[in-house]
Amino acid sequence: MLAYADEGKGAPLVMIHGFGIGNPIWERLEPLLVESFRLIQVELPGIGGSSSLTPERDYFEQCALEIERLRISLGFDELNIVSYSMGTRAAEHYQRAFPERVGGIMYLCPAVLRWPAIQLLRLGNWIDGWWPGLPNWILSGWLMAPFVLGFGFSFYPNRDLVVWQRQISAQRPDALKAMLRGILYAASRPFAHPGIRHMFVWALTDLATKRPRQLGSCDRTLAT
């Protein structure tokens, strides 16, 4: 089962983090929402306190199944979802698999990657096939800092850099690599929405992600 924090009252709002960073990523947003929603801050498979994943299965498909198990265990008929970065693909997989269980969904910096980021992921995946120890070393140490600065903060100084780097480096490398492989296969695919209310929110400057190319008439978008 997924580890999660459960706070507040009101309509359930599932919060899905990005790459390698669990619930602490929401520490500034949580106070703004906790009076209006019941916040269910999940940690995806293999991240934080959540159980390990099945290596043979697609990472984000496993995320969707575990979110559904959590919904059932909590007794909710319907979920609202806010997701960030790579977590947006977990949210998308869930609403594709269980559209009748989603009331509304928000994608923050949705994971539609730019070409350089995709090429870097392909290179890393190739290296992992030959020398898995090298990606493990990069993901578990100080070398994560420049990657977090570049792809997390677009090389803008940020006080959260050290916290993010430490949290990502503390995760199990197999879970991080599974998430990266999953996003490599999903990153170029347009987001799909079976009639569900949704909104895209992205930064005006983002080295990792780009605005989704295919937006339907029901899409609401916001650049910040």
Side-chain angles (χ1 to χ4, degrees), residues 12-14 78-83 91 94-95 99-107 193 195-199:
L13 180 63
V14 173
E78 187 178 81
L79 301 175
N80 297 294
I81 300 174
V82 58
S83 56
Y94 180 77
Q95 60 88 24
E100 72 282 0
R101 299 302 182 183
V102 180
I105 190 166
M106 176 178 286
Y107 301 107
H193 307 280
I196 294 172
R197 292 180 302 159
H198 54 279
M199 175 185 284

Short mmCIF file of all heavy atoms in Angstrom, two decimals, residues 12-14 78-83 91 94-95 99-107 193 195-199:
data_model
loop_
_atom_site.label_atom_id
_atom_site.label_comp_id
_atom_site.label_asym_id
_atom_site.label_seq_id
_atom_site.Cartn_x
_atom_site.Cartn_y
_atom_site.Cartn_z
N PRO A 12 -12.22 15.03 -0.57
CA PRO A 12 -10.87 14.46 -0.61
C PRO A 12 -10.06 15.02 -1.78
O PRO A 12 -10.55 15.07 -2.91
CB PRO A 12 -11.12 12.96 -0.76
CG PRO A 12 -12.48 12.86 -1.36
CD PRO A 12 -13.26 14.02 -0.82
N LEU A 13 -8.84 15.42 -1.49
CA LEU A 13 -7.92 15.93 -2.50
C LEU A 13 -6.63 15.13 -2.39
O LEU A 13 -5.88 15.27 -1.42
CB LEU A 13 -7.64 17.42 -2.29
CG LEU A 13 -6.68 18.08 -3.29
CD1 LEU A 13 -7.26 18.04 -4.70
CD2 LEU A 13 -6.37 19.51 -2.88
N VAL A 14 -6.38 14.28 -3.38
CA VAL A 14 -5.16 13.48 -3.40
C VAL A 14 -4.04 14.32 -4.00
O VAL A 14 -4.19 14.90 -5.08
CB VAL A 14 -5.36 12.19 -4.21
CG1 VAL A 14 -4.05 11.44 -4.38
CG2 VAL A 14 -6.39 11.30 -3.52
N GLU A 78 -15.22 9.22 -4.84
CA GLU A 78 -14.62 10.03 -5.90
C GLU A 78 -13.45 10.80 -5.32
O GLU A 78 -13.45 11.18 -4.15
CB GLU A 78 -15.67 11.00 -6.46
CG GLU A 78 -15.23 11.79 -7.68
CD GLU A 78 -16.34 12.67 -8.20
OE1 GLU A 78 -16.55 13.77 -7.64
OE2 GLU A 78 -17.01 12.27 -9.16
N LEU A 79 -12.45 11.04 -6.16
CA LEU A 79 -11.27 11.78 -5.76
C LEU A 79 -11.09 13.02 -6.61
O LEU A 79 -11.40 13.03 -7.81
CB LEU A 79 -10.00 10.91 -5.92
CG LEU A 79 -9.93 9.60 -5.16
CD1 LEU A 79 -8.67 8.85 -5.57
CD2 LEU A 79 -9.96 9.82 -3.66
N ASN A 80 -10.57 14.09 -5.99
CA ASN A 80 -9.98 15.20 -6.73
C ASN A 80 -8.47 15.05 -6.59
O ASN A 80 -7.97 14.56 -5.57
CB ASN A 80 -10.45 16.53 -6.16
CG ASN A 80 -11.95 16.70 -6.30
OD1 ASN A 80 -12.48 16.80 -7.40
ND2 ASN A 80 -12.65 16.72 -5.17
N ILE A 81 -7.74 15.47 -7.61
CA ILE A 81 -6.30 15.21 -7.63
C ILE A 81 -5.55 16.48 -8.01
O ILE A 81 -5.93 17.18 -8.95
CB ILE A 81 -5.95 14.10 -8.64
CG1 ILE A 81 -6.66 12.78 -8.27
CG2 ILE A 81 -4.44 13.88 -8.70
CD1 ILE A 81 -6.47 11.68 -9.30
N VAL A 82 -4.47 16.75 -7.28
CA VAL A 82 -3.49 17.75 -7.70
C VAL A 82 -2.15 17.03 -7.79
O VAL A 82 -1.77 16.29 -6.88
CB VAL A 82 -3.43 18.96 -6.74
CG1 VAL A 82 -3.08 18.53 -5.32
CG2 VAL A 82 -2.43 19.98 -7.24
N SER A 83 -1.46 17.19 -8.91
CA SER A 83 -0.23 16.43 -9.15
C SER A 83 0.85 17.37 -9.67
O SER A 83 0.56 18.41 -10.27
CB SER A 83 -0.48 15.30 -10.15
OG SER A 83 -1.01 15.82 -11.36
N ALA A 91 -1.04 10.64 -12.11
CA ALA A 91 -2.42 11.11 -12.06
C ALA A 91 -3.15 10.82 -13.37
O ALA A 91 -4.31 10.38 -13.37
CB ALA A 91 -2.44 12.61 -11.77
N TYR A 94 -4.08 7.23 -13.64
CA TYR A 94 -5.23 6.89 -12.78
C TYR A 94 -6.54 7.30 -13.43
O TYR A 94 -7.50 6.53 -13.47
CB TYR A 94 -5.09 7.55 -11.41
CG TYR A 94 -6.26 7.23 -10.50
CD1 TYR A 94 -6.34 5.99 -9.88
CD2 TYR A 94 -7.29 8.14 -10.29
CE1 TYR A 94 -7.42 5.66 -9.08
CE2 TYR A 94 -8.37 7.82 -9.49
CZ TYR A 94 -8.42 6.58 -8.89
OH TYR A 94 -9.52 6.25 -8.11
N GLN A 95 -6.60 8.53 -13.96
CA GLN A 95 -7.86 8.97 -14.53
C GLN A 95 -8.19 8.25 -15.85
O GLN A 95 -9.35 8.15 -16.22
CB GLN A 95 -7.88 10.50 -14.71
CG GLN A 95 -6.80 11.07 -15.61
CD GLN A 95 -7.19 11.13 -17.06
OE1 GLN A 95 -8.37 11.17 -17.38
NE2 GLN A 95 -6.22 11.13 -17.95
N PRO A 99 -11.79 6.59 -14.73
CA PRO A 99 -12.34 7.94 -14.95
C PRO A 99 -13.57 8.24 -14.10
O PRO A 99 -13.80 9.40 -13.74
CB PRO A 99 -12.68 7.94 -16.45
CG PRO A 99 -12.83 6.49 -16.81
CD PRO A 99 -11.85 5.76 -15.95
N GLU A 100 -14.34 7.22 -13.79
CA GLU A 100 -15.55 7.43 -13.00
C GLU A 100 -15.25 7.79 -11.56
O GLU A 100 -16.15 8.22 -10.81
CB GLU A 100 -16.43 6.18 -13.05
CG GLU A 100 -15.91 4.98 -12.26
CD GLU A 100 -14.79 4.22 -12.96
OE1 GLU A 100 -14.40 4.62 -14.07
OE2 GLU A 100 -14.32 3.23 -12.37
N ARG A 101 -13.99 7.66 -11.14
CA ARG A 101 -13.62 7.95 -9.76
C ARG A 101 -12.94 9.30 -9.59
O ARG A 101 -12.47 9.62 -8.51
CB ARG A 101 -12.68 6.84 -9.24
CG ARG A 101 -13.30 5.45 -9.23
CD ARG A 101 -14.56 5.43 -8.39
NE ARG A 101 -15.15 4.08 -8.32
CZ ARG A 101 -16.28 3.81 -7.70
NH1 ARG A 101 -16.94 4.78 -7.09
NH2 ARG A 101 -16.75 2.57 -7.68
N VAL A 102 -12.84 10.08 -10.66
CA VAL A 102 -12.14 11.36 -10.62
C VAL A 102 -13.13 12.51 -10.82
O VAL A 102 -13.82 12.56 -11.84
CB VAL A 102 -11.03 11.43 -11.69
CG1 VAL A 102 -10.31 12.78 -11.61
CG2 VAL A 102 -10.04 10.29 -11.50
N GLY A 103 -13.18 13.42 -9.85
CA GLY A 103 -14.04 14.58 -9.99
C GLY A 103 -13.38 15.71 -10.75
O GLY A 103 -13.98 16.36 -11.60
N GLY A 104 -12.13 15.96 -10.46
CA GLY A 104 -11.36 17.00 -11.14
C GLY A 104 -9.89 16.76 -10.92
O GLY A 104 -9.48 16.07 -9.97
N ILE A 105 -9.05 17.31 -11.79
CA ILE A 105 -7.62 17.02 -11.72
C ILE A 105 -6.82 18.24 -12.16
O ILE A 105 -7.21 18.94 -13.11
CB ILE A 105 -7.30 15.78 -12.58
CG1 ILE A 105 -5.88 15.29 -12.37
CG2 ILE A 105 -7.58 16.03 -14.05
CD1 ILE A 105 -5.65 13.89 -12.92
N MET A 106 -5.74 18.51 -11.44
CA MET A 106 -4.85 19.63 -11.78
C MET A 106 -3.44 19.10 -12.00
O MET A 106 -2.94 18.30 -11.21
CB MET A 106 -4.84 20.68 -10.68
CG MET A 106 -3.87 21.83 -10.93
SD MET A 106 -3.90 23.09 -9.63
CE MET A 106 -5.46 23.89 -10.03
N TYR A 107 -2.82 19.56 -13.09
CA TYR A 107 -1.46 19.17 -13.42
C TYR A 107 -0.54 20.38 -13.25
O TYR A 107 -0.65 21.36 -13.99
CB TYR A 107 -1.36 18.68 -14.86
CG TYR A 107 -2.24 17.50 -15.19
CD1 TYR A 107 -3.38 17.65 -15.97
CD2 TYR A 107 -1.91 16.23 -14.72
CE1 TYR A 107 -4.18 16.56 -16.29
CE2 TYR A 107 -2.70 15.13 -15.03
CZ TYR A 107 -3.84 15.30 -15.81
OH TYR A 107 -4.63 14.23 -16.13
N HIS A 193 -7.92 12.89 -21.64
CA HIS A 193 -8.92 13.18 -20.61
C HIS A 193 -10.29 12.68 -21.07
O HIS A 193 -10.89 13.26 -21.97
CB HIS A 193 -8.99 14.68 -20.34
CG HIS A 193 -7.67 15.27 -20.02
ND1 HIS A 193 -7.10 15.19 -18.78
CD2 HIS A 193 -6.77 15.93 -20.80
CE1 HIS A 193 -5.91 15.77 -18.81
NE2 HIS A 193 -5.69 16.22 -20.02
N GLY A 195 -13.37 13.20 -20.63
CA GLY A 195 -14.45 14.04 -20.14
C GLY A 195 -14.33 14.50 -18.72
O GLY A 195 -15.33 14.84 -18.08
N ILE A 196 -13.11 14.56 -18.18
CA ILE A 196 -12.88 14.94 -16.78
C ILE A 196 -12.42 16.39 -16.71
O ILE A 196 -11.60 16.83 -17.52
CB ILE A 196 -11.83 14.01 -16.14
CG1 ILE A 196 -12.38 12.58 -16.06
CG2 ILE A 196 -11.44 14.49 -14.75
CD1 ILE A 196 -11.36 11.57 -15.63
N ARG A 197 -12.94 17.13 -15.75
CA ARG A 197 -12.49 18.51 -15.54
C ARG A 197 -11.01 18.51 -15.18
O ARG A 197 -10.57 17.75 -14.33
CB ARG A 197 -13.28 19.16 -14.41
CG ARG A 197 -14.77 19.40 -14.70
CD ARG A 197 -15.43 20.04 -13.51
NE ARG A 197 -15.29 19.19 -12.32
CZ ARG A 197 -15.40 19.64 -11.07
NH1 ARG A 197 -15.63 20.90 -10.84
NH2 ARG A 197 -15.28 18.78 -10.05
N HIS A 198 -10.24 19.39 -15.83
CA HIS A 198 -8.82 19.41 -15.57
C HIS A 198 -8.23 20.78 -15.90
O HIS A 198 -8.83 21.58 -16.61
CB HIS A 198 -8.10 18.33 -16.38
CG HIS A 198 -8.38 18.39 -17.85
ND1 HIS A 198 -9.51 17.87 -18.42
CD2 HIS A 198 -7.66 18.93 -18.87
CE1 HIS A 198 -9.49 18.06 -19.72
NE2 HIS A 198 -8.38 18.71 -20.02
N MET A 199 -7.04 21.02 -15.34
CA MET A 199 -6.33 22.27 -15.57
C MET A 199 -4.83 21.99 -15.63
O MET A 199 -4.30 21.22 -14.85
CB MET A 199 -6.62 23.28 -14.45
CG MET A 199 -5.81 24.57 -14.55
SD MET A 199 -6.05 25.68 -13.14
CE MET A 199 -7.67 26.33 -13.53
#
